[in-house]
Amino acid sequence: MDKLQIIGGKTLNGTVRASGAKNAALPILAATLLTKEEITIRNLPHLHDITTMLELLGSMGCGVVVDERMNVQLDVSTLNNCEAPYELVKTMRASILVLGPLLSHFGKAIVSLPGGCAIGSRPVDLHLRGLEAMGANIVVENGNIVATVTDRLKGARIFFDKVTVTGTENLLMAAALADGQTILENSAKEPEVVDLAECLIKMGAKITGHGTDTIVVDGVETLHGTNYSVMPDRIETGTFLVAGAITGGKVKVTETNVKSLEAVIAKLEEAGAQVETGDDWIELDMQGQRPKAVNISTAPYPAFPTDMQAQFMALNSVATGVGRVIENIFENRFMHVNEMVRMGADIEVNGNTAIIKGCDGLKGAPVMATDLRASASLVLSALVAQGDTKIDRIYHIDRGYECIEEKLGALGARISRVVN
């Protein structure tokens, strides 16, 4: 099994390009099931989850052609199977996103209950209740969600008890081909939801209000093909900026989305970084200084993202002062703490709150990644640690970061992938 080996202590400097956003690409790929015309999706990140989603679409009979730049051409006209099997679904929670479009377009979907990172409960009941409100008949049997509709789904007014990104995306796609108007209230406002809506609009969907908590969809009978480019990955961008900050360096991320990172940029500036931005780039300069501890509290967009919580915990672990991190989204997202403590971090956890006392330095140690963003915190900690760190179970990292060792290496990090 591959590991990452990192020798810390190097200041990172240079420029890196942001990859396409996995969390936008996955629902957009699922949305291709809503048309029978050919569709091209560009700027896909080269990640395991993307490969799994393409394999899933292929297993259902879709034509899939991928070029060397990870642009994919999909042909759903050959689809002959509306089942998403456990063998593919078990590694990726986002596979639930094929449920809405399959049901809306083909009248039937069989989707295995999803797997993915073990960071806490992410129930699909909000998805199912919404589809039932639109006229779907749903049963759960033998670990599968079996959904059918006799004619077309019907427009409905749906209120989410809890803000849910994938729930919003699933019902948004389902509503695109529904009969009548659907109103989604208390919807997720994340940029990835907006990106999906913009792709659907290019396919002929009638959607307004995306980016607010009330989305209105007027269903149409058919959607057509299009050519669409996935938005840049704001979490990858934020991670590289923190890498510059934690090492006291100067890092510029290009081809990114500045507006989507306002909460993260504000906290980096609070930590002492000088941040400049352009239309599609962000440059952070720590001028060799040690960061200052910051307090963060995660919440749905546009507040501070849960997917950047672990990275800022790493930053706080070597900062001056004491920082508090409150995790409000997932109840089991502090699994990286024990591994960071092995490296010398001073962290105390009480419920959903972690208190981090900045220390003068971390020490390299063998550590194990427990989920995608936790693995990023270990990479960041290793970059600033004294000595050699080996990170095991890096398949978690590969689910969300494209060629991370190459990109960090280009910034000066001493990082390599090794086979145990």
Side-chain angles (χ1 to χ4, degrees):
M1 186 177 293
D2 288 1
K3 298 181 181 181
L4 282 181
Q5 180 172 0
I6 301 172
I7 301 172
K10 285 280 287 183
T11 300
L12 299 194
N13 293 287
T15 300
V16 62
R17 172 191 170 272
S19 299
K22 180 193 81 163
N23 289 342
L26 291 172
I28 286 172
L29 287 173
T32 64
L33 292 167
L34 290 166
T35 179
K36 288 185 178 178
E37 296 183 14
E38 287 192 355
I39 187 167
T40 300
I41 307 299
R42 295 179 285 110
N43 198 37
L44 292 173
H46 194 181
L47 300 172
H48 185 266
D49 279 7
I50 299 297
T51 303
T52 300
M53 181 62 88
L54 293 174
E55 189 177 349
L56 175 58
L57 294 173
S59 75
M60 292 188 288
C62 299
V64 180
V65 179
V66 186
D67 69 18
E68 68 280 359
R69 294 185 179 181
M70 282 302 289
N71 302 314
V72 63
Q73 188 175 63
L74 290 149
D75 181 4
V76 184
S77 65
T78 55
L79 185 137
N80 54 26
N81 174 23
C82 289
E83 181 174 358
Y86 177 71
E87 289 71 25
L88 291 172
V89 169
K90 65 183 179 181
T91 62
M92 185 180 66
R93 287 180 184 267
S95 53
I96 190 68
L97 289 166
V98 301
L99 178 63
L102 277 176
L103 180 61
S104 187
H105 192 179
F106 300 99
K108 183 178 181 180
I110 303 172
V111 180
S112 181
L113 289 167
C117 286
I119 58 174
S121 173
R122 289 190 276 189
V124 298
D125 59 316
L126 297 177
H127 305 233
L128 305 188
R129 288 207 301 267
L131 291 172
E132 286 176 329
M134 298 173 74
N137 177 54
I138 296 177
V139 295
V140 178
E141 55 185 24
N142 302 321
N144 292 321
I145 301 166
V146 182
T148 56
V149 62
T150 52
D151 188 13
R152 288 173 69 187
L153 291 173
K154 304 295 184 183
R157 193 179 201 97
I158 299 167
F159 179 82
F160 294 107
D161 293 338
K162 180 180 180 181
V163 176
T164 164
V165 173
T166 54
T168 300
E169 292 167 339
N170 227 337
L171 296 185
L172 176 61
M173 289 186 282
L177 292 179
D179 181 13
Q181 185 178 85
T182 299
I183 301 175
L184 304 176
E185 297 181 295
N186 198 30
S187 296
K189 296 181 280 190
E190 271 70 5
E192 294 79 9
V193 175
V194 175
D195 206 36
L196 170 63
E198 290 296 329
C199 180
L200 291 170
I201 290 169
K202 281 199 71 175
M203 295 168 67
K206 295 181 179 179
I207 302 169
T208 58
H210 44 299
T212 75
D213 57 10
T214 302
I215 302 175
V216 179
V217 187
D218 290 300
V220 297
E221 290 193 6
T222 60
L223 294 179
H224 53 72
T226 191
N227 188 316
Y228 193 79
S229 183
V230 173
M231 68 173 283
D233 194 323
R234 62 191 174 107
I235 304 303
E236 184 199 44
T237 298
T239 301
F240 285 127
L241 293 174
V242 173
I246 200 171
T247 63
K250 183 177 182 180
V251 169
K252 182 177 184 178
V253 184
T254 61
E255 296 183 45
T256 192
N257 186 314
V258 178
K259 183 173 173 50
S260 69
L261 281 154
E262 289 177 347
V264 171
I265 290 172
K267 286 298 175 181
L268 288 169
E269 289 176 331
E270 189 179 326
Q274 291 188 6
V275 181
E276 294 185 9
T277 61
D279 290 339
D280 65 348
W281 58 268
I282 306 171
E283 185 174 68
L284 174 142
D285 189 357
M286 283 299 292
Q287 297 183 317
Q289 300 300 306
R290 183 177 170 186
K292 303 170 188 173
V294 295
N295 297 326
I296 65 169
S297 180
T298 66
Y301 187 86
F304 193 91
T306 180
D307 281 353
M308 285 299 302
Q309 172 257 106
Q311 295 90 316
F312 270 77
M313 193 176 290
L315 183 76
N316 276 341
S317 70
V318 295
T320 58
V322 178
R324 181 179 70 251
V325 173
I326 303 174
E327 174 55 57
N328 296 305
I329 306 298
F330 296 120
E331 73 275 14
N332 195 25
R333 208 166 201 183
F334 283 157
M335 291 189 292
H336 48 286
V337 169
N338 288 338
E339 300 303 298
M340 290 177 62
V341 168
R342 286 171 52 80
M343 300 177 70
D346 186 347
I347 306 173
E348 180 180 340
V349 174
N350 184 7
N352 70 330
T353 301
I355 304 297
I356 308 100
K357 297 178 181 177
C359 61
D360 290 335
L362 301 176
K363 304 276 184 153
V367 292
M368 181 175 65
T370 54
D371 65 71
L372 170 54
R373 304 308 172 184
S375 63
S377 73
L378 299 180
V379 170
L380 293 170
S381 298
L383 289 173
V384 75
Q386 179 183 349
D388 184 2
T389 298
K390 284 191 175 68
I391 305 174
D392 203 354
R393 295 176 66 181
I394 61 170
Y395 55 84
H396 288 295
I397 298 174
D398 292 337
R399 287 187 53 237
Y401 292 93
E402 181 180 48
C403 305
I404 191 169
E405 68 273 22
E406 295 178 18
K407 288 189 171 185
L408 287 174
L411 296 175
R414 293 175 288 189
I415 179 172
S416 59
R417 185 176 293 251
V418 295
V419 179
N420 190 20

